[in-house]
Every structure is written in structure tokens, then in C-alpha cells.
Amino acid sequence: MASLPSVVVGNTLKLENEFKKNSVTPLPFEKKNHSPINSDKALEPLNLEFREALSLIKEGSEKVESASYVPLLQECIKKKSVSEAEAIHGHIIKMGIHEDLFLMTFLVNVYAKCGMMGSARKVFDNLPKRNVVTWTSLMSGYVQNSQPDVAINVFQEMLEAGGFPTNYTLGVAFNACSLLGHFELGKQIHAYVVKYEIGDDTSIGNALCSLYSKSHNLDSAVKAFRMIAHKNVISWTAAVSACGDNGDSAMGLSLFVDMLCADVEPNEFTFTSVLSLCCIMQALKIGSQIHSLSIKLGYGSNLRVTNSIMYLYLKNGWIIEAKKLFDGMETVSLVTWNAMIAGLAQMMDLGEDGISAHSSGFEALNTFLRLHHSGMKPDLFTFSSVLSICSSLVALEQGEQIHAQVIKSGFLSDVVVGTALVSMYNKCGSIDRASKAFVEMSTRTLISWTSMITAFAQHGYSKQALQLFEDMRFVGVRPNKVTFVGVLSACSHAGLVKEALTYFDMMKKEYKIKPVMDHYACLIDMFVRLGRVDEAFDFVKKMDFEPNEFIWSLLIAGCRSHGKLELGFYAAEQLLSLNPKNSEAYFLLLNMYLSAERWKDVSRVRKLMKDEKIGKLKDWSWISIRDKVHSFRTGDQLNPPYENIDIFLSDLHDKASTMGFELHTSLELKNEEDDEATFPIGRHSEKLAVAFGLLNTPSAAPVRVIKSISMCRDCHSFMKFISQLTSRKIIIRDSKRLHKFVNGHCSCGDFGSLV
């Protein structure tokens, strides 16, 4: 239904005079003066237990006043008992009072509340006459049972039958429009509200506020709210939620303060809405005050409110406070578990360094383990969150265990979980298992296809990535800009210039996708790998926006590797101008000037570093073995159980040297202000972590390491030799990309050797 029927559009709808004056907030029922049953009669349901009264009604043949059925029908609603409602309905028909409009309207409401809209409609259709309450009861039932389209049809029938909607009827119609997204129809109904000057009614104003909020028209939503003459807690909550849903959290918090000043007490939905705004704004101080208020008003043990507060604390790094809330909860729902896991996962992004991020990740995995032991079953949101955590931790063993639980729980067919599995195996360096997880997916979305294409590209399987892209197009899935990043990355790895430019043109002309920074980065990366540095700089000039740090880093690496020093110095200076606090960029530029023996520039950069208070590079690497995290820092003094690493690493260096590996000196971790000795490149953090992994994992197991900064060219070269010497897969994820070393080759296409 796209518009109101002609009977309405033709302005034939006339509202009763008292309609403007009398607001109907609860669902109204026409009440009659029913005389009570004599107290000496055996059948008096009002004074009997429900079962006994129901039994008497089923067995008795004596006529009962219609009002006596109401308490029984109310009990049916409480118990959601369809069979008992049907028994009472049968007795009503048997007694011949099935034409009583009040009673039958109530029965429509009973069937609707029990989810039996078919029965509700039958009762409605068999009524000899109907009033607005009857129509509204049926409409409300359809809305409550997730059939808003049918509710709109009923509304249309009522208007065409000459019915006059009440304020409550219009509120139900607005809610149906909101659920369906029929905002134009909602505006048409709003026109009648304006015409009859009833916009100040509470139920209508609340419904209008919700309608305009869902149509992303915040101004109209707030205007509808302000029109309400008597604002209740639902009115305020709708307005606060509208602000949050439409990106104006500050206004939402301001309205919440106004609500308190108006002496309106918030309910649990108000608290969850306003706490959500605090999360968005990271307004921890205000959030903690709202927490205190919620306790004062008796919501301290409310599950919804506690979940919201806990998530706020987690998002702002108050882990201890969040844990106290979590551990002190009497009832823990799956939503609570999911919030705790997701909050800890988010802490990984907020961690000050890699170690704290890693710690938060493993704490999230331990929380998932507690959930499993509690006997509560995870859902697809739990699995997708925890698989994402395994991806960030490069925790393949834990990921495999969760994969087994996914299969056992029956969520393997879910496309969200399937895509999370593909991503997890990819980021853990297992492209074969990622491919297997993709093939086993029963249905695939664009995100699924894009994840697998990107995975192939990152692992250097360019041919497979491009073939999968063509397969995706063949089955009718339309690529987006992220898909083309994966495609162009695959071309970059393989040096397929012609194909890359063809796909770039296809993206712009066939799919009308405007190139973004990542697309240009892939093409620049390709030219740099091929030594065509000038063409890479030409592409930079063609961009519609200024290059970001990653693109300048690519250009620096290319210039440094291919002897374009002046261009390299220019790119490095541009990088520093973008991020004056980037310690890695300072040390890279310093090394370049040192290599070129440009001592004035060396002094200038060192002075800049001193002025910006740039210290040593925070070079950390960590490895997880049997659920325990082992962290290493460049130059660490190794104590038990790590004392054998130096000897083992020295032996590996000697063996690699016989195969042609040369160790170059580097000053990149040295700061002339430091009194400490400069540690040789042979003890960079990833070497220590890899050596420890080789010593403490089974001989056939891959070694997986995470590094806080990018690998230097010497370490990259060393890892290639070690993978060949030990016949082990070595997977290192640094700050720039994934490196998978197998038999002397790296998945990055040896781009790491340019850095």
C-alpha cells in the first residue's frame, strides 16, 4: 500500500468533535453497565480459582453475564493459553452472547496477544457490527505479531467502511508505517493529525517521533516530540533514542537532562538508550553518574541496564569495573556474555601496546571458555566475535577448537560465521583451511567472496584470487570497492600491470565505483615492486586526494631499494609532515641519511627527534604457545626459560651465512641520547620470538609471531633462510602486512626486502 485510499484523500474522513479533546492512551474498550451475578449462584468466576471457574464454564449450561468472562480471558492472556481461550470462546457461542461487541472485541485482543491472528480475524469477520475499538484491536494485534502490512490493510478497510480513527488508532498506524518503512504514507496520515490539531496527543506524538527517527529525519522527530502537551517517559525515551539513532548524541544527553529536570523518572529503556549515547561519545564521567542514578532508582540488578553499563566501562578501558559488574550479576544472559566478550575484543584496539592488546584478547577467549563451561549455548554473534579475536591474536589452535564447536552447535551454515572462519584462517596464515571453509559455505554473500579473494591475494595466490573474482561475477554477485582492493592487490603481487589497469578501468566505468586511497595504494605498490618508481609517483599526482602514510611508506621503500634517494628523501619528509610523532618514519629517514653520509641532514633529523621527544622504537614481538603468551623486546636480557635462545639464534645465523645470508649493520634502533649500548640487528624482537617458537613447538608445526612495527629488510631476508633451513613455516604479522615464509619464499612477494 503506497497511499491512503480515495475515501480519505478526498477529505471525506471526518473526526468526531470530541476526538480532538479526548486522548486515548491505553487500548480502550467500550464498557457497558453489566449487572453482577447474584452471590448465591454457584457460577461466579470472579470469586473462583481460574481452573475451577473454567471447569464450571465448560460443564455448566447456565447463562453467564458477559463481564464475568473478562477475568478468565485476562488469565488466558497471562498464560498465553490458546486452548483455554478457545474453550471460553466456545462457551460464549453456546450461551448465545457472541454478538456482544465489548466481549468479542476483548476476545480479538486475547487471540492477538496469544499470537493467533487467524482466530482473531475470524472473530472480527463474524461480528455483526464493529466500532473503532474493534478495528484498533485487530490493527494492534497485527503490529504486535510482526504483520504491520496487514495492519495497514485493516486501517484502510476501516477508513473505507467509514470508521473514525481515534488517537490510539493513528498511533498504531504510525507504528505500522515505521516497521514497514512506509514513510510517505506516514506523512499522509500526519497531514490529518495536523488538520485536526491533535499533534499534542501523547500517543500520536510518541509514534510520530519514532516514525521520523526511523526515516532519518531528526528535526521532524524532535519537532513531533516538542509538540506533545503531556510528555511521559515513553515520549522522552523516544526522543533520546532518536538522537542516538541519527548521530546527535549530544542533543540526546541534553534531552535526558531536561527529562530529569521535568521530574520524569527514566525507565530501563531510557537508561539503555542514554548509556548507548555515552558509549558513542565516550562520556565516561556522565555514564558513571547515570550508573549511580540507576542504582538509586532500583535498576541496579536490571539485566538490560547492567549490560549497557558494563559495555560502557569496557569501551572506555575500565576493565576492573566491568568485571566487578559482570561477576556480581545474579543472572547472566547470553547478551551479557556477548557484551563482555565483545568489550574485551574492543580493548585489543584500545591497548597502549601489543602486549596489553594481546592480554585483552586472551582474556576474551577465557571468558568464552567460562561461557562454554556455564552450560549456556553460544549464538552466531558469540562465534563471530570470538573468531575475530582469534584472527587478531593469530591464535590458530584456539580458532580450530572454536570451529569444532561451531560444527557441533549447528552454526556452520550461517553465512556470518562461515565468513568469520574464512577470515580467521586467512589471518592465521592457513590459506588452505580458509579456502576449505569458503567452499563448505552453503550460501555466500559479497563479504564472503571478498574475504576469500583478499585472502588469496595476501598469500600470494594471485591467479586463484583473480579466477575467484571472475567466478563471483559469473554468478551475479556485484563487487564493491573492497572487492577491487583485493583484486588489485593480487595483480600487484604478481606484477600484472596490464590486468591491474584493466580492472581499475572496469571498476570506474562498468561498476561506477570511484577510486579510493586503497586502490591507488595497490597500483603504487605494484609499480614499486617492479622498480618503476617514476610511474608510481605519476600515479600519486593523478590522485584526487593527498597520499596517506601508507602510500608514502611504499614510495620510500621503493626509492630506497632502487637508488632513487632524492625522491626517497622527499617522500620521507612528506611522511613526517603527515605524522610528526611517527617514530618508525624518523628512524627510517635517519638511516637513509646515514647511508648517504648526509651528516647535516642526520643532525637535523636528530634535532627534530629530540624536539618531538622521539625515543627508541617500541619493537615488541610475541608468540602464543599452549595458551601462554611469550613477549620479546629487541635487546632483552634473556633469563630462564629463554636463556638458550641466544645460542640457538647464533647457530642459525652461522648456518644462514653459509647459504649466502649477509647481516647488515643498522642504526635504526639507536638514539644518540641513550647511554645504553645499541643492540645488533641479530637480536631484533621477531628473531627472538621465532627462535623461541622453533625450540618449543613440534617440528612440523608452523611458528606464528606478531610484531609491533614493520620488519626490516635484514630480518625479512633472515626468515627466508630460516624457513628453508628448518623446513618450517614461519608466519609473522607486522604492522604493515602478513609474511608467510615457506621454503625460502615469502607471501608478500619479497616486498619486505625493500623496506
Side-chain angles (χ1 to χ4, degrees):
M1 176 180 168
S3 62
L4 291 174
S6 58
V7 65
V8 178
V9 177
N11 292 328
T12 59
L13 172 63
K14 294 182 180 179
L15 303 183
E16 298 170 0
N17 292 331
E18 295 186 0
F19 175 42
K20 304 178 194 178
K21 303 175 184 176
N22 299 322
S23 165
V24 186
T25 41
L27 183 61
F29 292 99
E30 289 188 353
K31 296 184 179 180
K32 297 181 179 180
N33 293 323
H34 300 287
S35 58
I37 302 173
N38 293 332
S39 59
D40 58 341
K41 290 200 174 181
L43 184 58
E44 190 177 359
L46 289 171
N47 299 323
L48 296 173
E49 291 292 333
F50 175 70
R51 287 287 180 188
E52 185 180 354
L54 185 64
S55 176
L56 288 171
I57 273 187
K58 288 179 179 178
E59 296 172 3
S61 58
E62 190 170 350
K63 190 170 182 178
V64 181
E65 289 288 344
S66 58
S68 301
Y69 290 100
V70 174
L72 295 177
L73 290 171
Q74 287 176 330
E75 194 67 26
C76 291
I77 293 174
K78 289 180 183 177
K79 298 173 66 177
K80 300 286 184 186
S81 176
V82 177
S83 60
E84 291 168 350
E86 288 173 340
I88 296 169
H89 185 188
H91 193 270
I92 290 171
I93 295 172
K94 182 179 178 181
M95 293 295 104
I97 53 175
H98 54 280
E99 293 186 0
D100 184 297
L101 187 56
F102 165 69
L103 184 59
M104 299 313 285
T105 298
F106 200 95
L107 192 59
V108 169
N109 188 46
V110 171
Y111 279 130
K113 292 285 177 64
C114 292
M116 299 294 292
M117 287 311 301
S119 299
R121 182 76 206 208
K122 284 180 182 178
V123 173
F124 177 85
D125 289 339
N126 289 324
L127 286 173
K129 61 178 181 177
R130 301 157 188 146
N131 63 12
V132 66
V133 180
T134 316
W135 287 101
T136 305
S137 294
L138 188 63
M139 284 176 58
S140 182
Y142 280 120
V143 170
Q144 291 166 6
N145 286 277
S146 304
Q147 299 179 63
D149 52 336
V150 186
I152 291 294
N153 291 336
V154 173
F155 181 60
Q156 182 178 13
E157 289 176 34
M158 183 192 74
L159 297 175
E160 292 174 343
F164 301 121
T166 65
N167 297 12
Y168 188 83
T169 314
L170 292 170
V172 174
F174 282 132
N175 289 334
C177 291
S178 295
L179 292 170
L180 288 169
H182 284 359
F183 303 122
E184 288 304 316
L185 176 59
K187 288 179 182 178
Q188 291 182 44
I189 301 173
H190 188 191
Y192 284 90
V193 170
V194 173
K195 179 178 178 180
Y196 292 100
E197 299 178 359
I198 51 173
D200 61 345
D201 176 74
T202 306
S203 61
I204 287 179
N206 293 349
L208 273 172
C209 182
S210 177
L211 173 75
Y212 283 119
S213 172
K214 289 182 180 178
S215 67
H216 305 296
N217 188 342
L218 181 59
D219 290 340
S220 295
V222 174
K223 187 177 179 181
F225 163 75
R226 299 205 184 278
M227 284 282 292
I228 300 172
H230 303 288
K231 300 176 180 69
N232 59 18
V233 64
I234 299 172
S235 312
W236 288 99
T237 303
V240 170
S241 298
C243 293
D245 294 339
N246 291 277
D248 197 339
S249 301
M251 183 191 289
L253 288 176
S254 177
L255 284 173
F256 179 71
V257 173
D258 292 343
M259 173 186 175
L260 298 178
C261 293
D263 290 329
V264 179
E265 185 174 303
N267 61 19
E268 62 176 300
F269 301 105
T270 322
F271 278 121
T272 54
S273 294
V274 76
L275 286 166
S276 174
L277 301 183
C278 292
C279 279
I280 294 169
M281 297 184 69
Q282 294 190 328
L284 186 57
K285 187 176 180 180
I286 297 174
S288 61
Q289 291 174 4
I290 293 170
H291 183 190
S292 300
L293 177 62
S294 69
I295 295 171
K296 182 179 179 181
L297 295 179
Y299 291 94
S301 58
N302 182 281
L303 195 57
R304 290 175 183 269
V305 176
T306 307
N307 284 346
S308 299
I309 295 166
M310 185 182 73
Y311 193 72
L312 170 69
Y313 288 162
L314 284 168
K315 191 169 182 179
N316 286 273
W318 281 22
I319 297 181
I320 296 174
E321 288 77 6
K323 283 181 182 175
K324 284 180 181 177
L325 273 176
F326 182 74
D327 293 334
M329 293 174 72
E330 296 176 5
T331 304
V332 181
S333 68
L334 184 57
V335 174
T336 313
W337 286 104
N338 285 347
M340 191 69 189
I341 292 169
L344 288 167
Q346 194 166 31
M347 285 303 300
M348 296 179 69
D349 299 327
L350 300 173
E352 294 180 0
D353 52 53
I355 301 302
S356 61
H358 218 69
S359 176
S360 295
F362 270 96
E363 192 160 355
L365 291 182
N366 288 332
T367 303
F368 174 75
L369 190 63
R370 287 174 59 191
L371 163 63
H372 180 66
H373 290 157
S374 74
M376 192 173 291
K377 293 184 178 180
D379 61 8
L380 64 94
F381 301 105
T382 321
F383 283 124
S384 59
S385 291
V386 79
L387 285 169
S388 175
I389 292 165
C390 291
S391 299
S392 301
L393 295 174
V394 194
L396 181 62
E397 291 178 8
Q398 290 84 349
E400 289 172 333
Q401 293 169 15
I402 293 163
H403 189 176
Q405 287 191 44
V406 167
I407 296 171
K408 187 177 179 181
S409 302
F411 285 107
L412 190 61
S413 60
D414 182 83
V415 67
V416 174
V417 175
T419 304
L421 280 168
V422 171
S423 178
M424 183 272 294
Y425 281 125
N426 166 40
K427 291 180 179 179
C428 289
S430 183
I431 189 63
D432 293 337
R433 292 182 187 178
S435 180
K436 187 173 184 291
F438 177 78
V439 170
E440 290 175 349
M441 293 178 70
S442 55
T443 56
R444 303 181 184 98
T445 63
L446 171 61
I447 298 174
S448 312
W449 287 96
T450 301
S451 295
M452 195 65 238
I453 290 168
T454 304
F456 278 134
Q458 289 176 346
H459 285 262
Y461 290 81
S462 299
K463 183 178 178 181
Q464 290 88 333
L466 298 180
Q467 182 59 56
L468 190 62
F469 175 69
E470 295 301 335
D471 291 344
M472 184 190 80
R473 295 179 66 212
F474 180 76
V475 298
V477 178
R478 184 181 178 85
N480 64 6
K481 61 183 178 182
V482 182
T483 316
F484 275 104
V485 171
V487 170
L488 294 174
S489 177
C491 294
S492 172
H493 273 72
L496 303 173
V497 177
K498 183 179 178 181
E499 289 83 352
L501 296 177
T502 299
Y503 283 123
F504 190 68
D505 285 338
M506 175 195 293
M507 177 185 73
K508 293 189 294 181
K509 296 176 181 177
E510 183 176 342
Y511 292 102
K512 310 299 181 186
I513 297 173
K514 187 177 180 180
V516 296
M517 192 80 73
D518 289 342
H519 299 131
Y520 286 107
C522 291
L523 295 173
I524 291 166
D525 178 61
M526 175 182 66
F527 286 122
V528 166
R529 288 171 185 268
L530 296 172
R532 295 158 65 170
V533 178
D534 292 331
E535 289 178 72
F537 272 90
D538 287 340
F539 246 89
V540 169
K541 295 174 184 176
K542 294 177 184 177
M543 291 167 52
D544 297 330
F545 28 74
E546 292 298 317
N548 60 9
E549 293 179 42
F550 182 68
I551 287 180
W552 286 122
S553 297
L554 290 173
L555 292 169
I556 293 168
C559 293
R560 190 181 180 195
S561 177
H562 300 291
K564 303 275 187 177
L565 291 183
E566 290 304 320
L567 281 174
F569 295 141
Y570 168 76
E573 298 285 358
Q574 294 301 313
L575 175 59
L576 283 179
S577 68
L578 280 179
N579 186 358
K581 297 293 183 180
N582 188 333
S583 57
E584 201 170 343
Y586 275 108
F587 282 105
L588 179 60
L589 181 58
L590 183 62
N591 275 337
M592 290 171 66
Y593 283 135
L594 284 166
S595 299
E597 298 183 350
R598 293 175 54 159
W599 307 115
K600 287 185 178 179
D601 287 316
V602 169
S603 299
R604 178 175 61 84
V605 172
R606 280 180 168 161
K607 184 179 184 303
L608 282 172
M609 293 172 69
K610 184 177 181 180
D611 293 342
E612 295 291 345
K613 298 179 180 179
I614 304 296
K616 284 185 177 181
L617 282 174
K618 295 179 180 180
D619 178 26
W620 285 88
S621 293
W622 52 94
I623 183 172
S624 173
I625 299 177
R626 289 182 288 276
D627 294 339
K628 185 177 180 182
V629 180
H630 303 268
S631 58
F632 300 88
R633 184 175 57 183
T634 295
D636 268 348
Q637 298 293 338
L638 300 176
N639 299 312
Y642 308 114
E643 69 275 9
N644 294 329
I645 291 178
D646 271 334
I647 299 172
F648 181 62
L649 199 53
S650 177
D651 182 53
L652 288 176
H653 269 289
D654 291 341
K655 290 179 179 178
S657 297
T658 62
M659 298 175 66
F661 171 68
E662 293 183 11
L663 182 64
H664 301 281
T665 58
S666 173
L667 300 176
E668 64 185 69
L669 294 182
K670 182 178 179 180
N671 186 330
E672 67 172 1
E673 301 298 321
D674 291 331
D675 295 329
E676 300 175 13
T678 301
F679 293 99
I681 198 169
R683 285 172 55 91
H684 276 185
S685 65
E686 69 269 39
K687 287 188 176 182
L688 301 175
V690 168
F692 183 75
L694 291 171
L695 287 169
N696 292 277
T697 56
S699 58
V703 176
R704 292 178 171 81
V705 171
I706 300 177
K707 181 176 170 66
S708 62
I709 62 174
S710 58
M711 295 180 69
C712 69
R713 64 175 71 184
D714 289 284
C715 288
H716 188 274
S717 177
F718 180 70
M719 293 304 166
K720 289 167 60 179
F721 281 101
I722 296 308
S723 68
Q724 194 171 2
L725 272 170
T726 60
S727 299
R728 299 278 290 272
K729 292 180 182 178
I730 299 172
I731 298 158
I732 300 176
R733 187 195 293 168
D734 66 13
S735 61
K736 295 289 193 301
R737 55 176 49 84
L738 178 77
H739 303 271
K740 184 178 179 181
F741 300 93
V742 181
N743 295 325
H745 299 282
C746 180
S747 61
C748 76
D750 278 350
F751 188 79
S753 63
L754 302 181
V755 180

